[in-house]
Amino acid sequence: MSDKTDNQREGTSLIRALGPVDATMIVIGSMIGSGIFIVSAESSRLSGAPGWLLLAWAVAGLLTITGALCCSELATMMPRAGGVYVFLREAYGRSIGFLYGWTLFLVIQTGTIAAVAIAFAKFLGVFVHSVSSENYLVAPISFGKYAISLSTEQLVAIGLIALLTWTNTRGLEVGKIVQNTFTFAKTAALAAVVVIGLSLGWHATSAARSAAWWNSWANGWSPQIAQPGFTFVGGFALALLFGKSMVGPLFAQTAWTNITFVGSEVRDPGISCARS
């Protein structure tokens, strides 16, 4: 079926101009973000040993790839704009799809975008010291237990979201170029971090070599230090905190569903979604 006929059947005027490479870049670009670089410290603090940290990333990766494969199968069956909203609507009815759509808009996707934008601003603050959460343009205004303020860090995050939103309103081709360019840059940066880390780690310090890979207690870890007020002890406490340490890796590896939202703009969606 031609793209034109397919779009007419779906009742949309969207143009199928994204190929397999573009679809892959959307998935990679959505998953490789600031989360990868900021969540490992917290996960390591909770688990207390390198082995548990790597296992948390491995298990999160297994859960992610399992979900992604299921999602790619659904995307090839229903390659329509809306993605997961369409899947839930068709499977469980319009009310569930409606609730998911508004939850995605008001909480899920909005919160993720805000978190990534703030992370970008924090990293920028390392190089530009005027960008800081303590540098207020509008001092905190208290409303009971809450407060409203505007710092230079928040302003940069807001500006970034506005800039990328405006870029995507310029059309599919412009958005595709920006997405692919930044994704290639991020992938290259991540590969460089891996290569440099392995190169420097080959001659690791004595402290790193002596660290117990699986015995968290041997590294000075305890459940009460990792989680103040925690009442559990022993292996059960480690298991619970290991589960909590997976929150960061799962957050960093989310967004593999993003390609499904542009299902009506992908050429040969059965091929592109399966590959991505």
Side-chain angles (χ1 to χ4, degrees):
M1 181 179 293
S2 67
D3 293 344
K4 182 177 180 180
T5 303
D6 199 22
N7 285 337
Q8 288 176 343
R9 181 178 62 81
E10 296 174 14
T12 177
S13 59
L14 297 174
I15 301 173
R16 294 191 180 275
L18 299 176
V21 173
D22 304 316
T24 302
M25 289 299 102
I26 290 175
V27 175
I28 295 176
S30 299
M31 293 181 65
I32 299 180
S34 54
I36 287 181
F37 302 100
I38 63 177
V39 300
S40 284
E42 176 65 10
S43 295
S44 180
R45 186 187 67 80
L46 289 169
S47 57
W52 294 115
L53 174 62
L54 293 177
L55 183 62
W57 280 98
V59 174
L62 179 62
L63 294 174
T64 297
I65 195 66
T66 302
L69 289 173
C70 295
C71 200
S72 67
E73 183 68 21
L74 289 169
T76 59
M77 296 169 59
M78 294 175 280
R80 308 173 195 168
V84 179
Y85 157 76
V86 175
F87 308 156
L88 293 176
R89 184 191 66 192
E90 296 298 320
Y92 302 110
R94 298 180 65 87
S95 59
I96 299 299
F98 175 84
L99 290 174
Y100 172 78
W102 278 104
T103 303
L104 183 74
F105 176 70
L106 295 175
V107 181
I108 302 173
Q109 201 73 357
T110 306
T112 301
I113 291 172
V116 172
I118 285 292
F120 171 85
K122 285 185 178 294
F123 285 124
L124 180 63
V126 175
F127 302 99
V128 183
H129 298 301
S130 59
V131 179
S132 170
S133 60
E134 303 299 326
N135 188 2
Y136 290 107
L137 299 174
V138 178
I141 303 173
S142 298
F143 295 93
K145 296 181 180 180
Y146 302 94
I148 297 176
S149 65
L150 179 64
S151 66
T152 52
E153 182 179 274
Q154 292 169 321
L155 182 62
V156 168
I158 293 171
L160 176 65
I161 294 173
L163 175 62
L164 292 178
T165 300
W166 175 82
T167 300
N168 280 281
T169 63
R170 298 301 91 193
L172 186 61
E173 287 298 322
V174 175
K176 179 173 69 174
I177 292 172
V178 172
Q179 174 70 46
N180 292 352
T181 300
F182 278 96
T183 299
F184 277 119
K186 288 193 293 185
T187 305
L190 185 61
V193 168
V194 173
V195 171
I196 294 173
L198 291 176
S199 300
L200 298 178
W202 201 260
H203 304 287
T205 64
S206 58
R209 288 197 300 269
S210 62
W213 269 77
W214 297 103
N215 189 347
S216 301
W217 287 269
N219 298 326
W221 176 91
S222 76
Q224 285 66 42
I225 294 176
Q227 185 70 53
F230 207 52
T231 58
F232 297 100
V233 296
F236 183 63
L238 178 60
L240 292 176
L241 291 176
F242 172 76
K244 186 176 180 180
S245 74
M246 286 182 56
V247 172
L250 285 171
F251 166 76
Q253 296 181 46
T254 55
W256 40 267
T257 57
N258 282 8
I259 183 58
T260 66
F261 297 123
V262 294
S264 292
E265 297 174 284
V266 177
R267 293 194 308 268
D268 300 319
I271 298 174
S272 299
C273 290
R275 287 180 179 177
S276 60

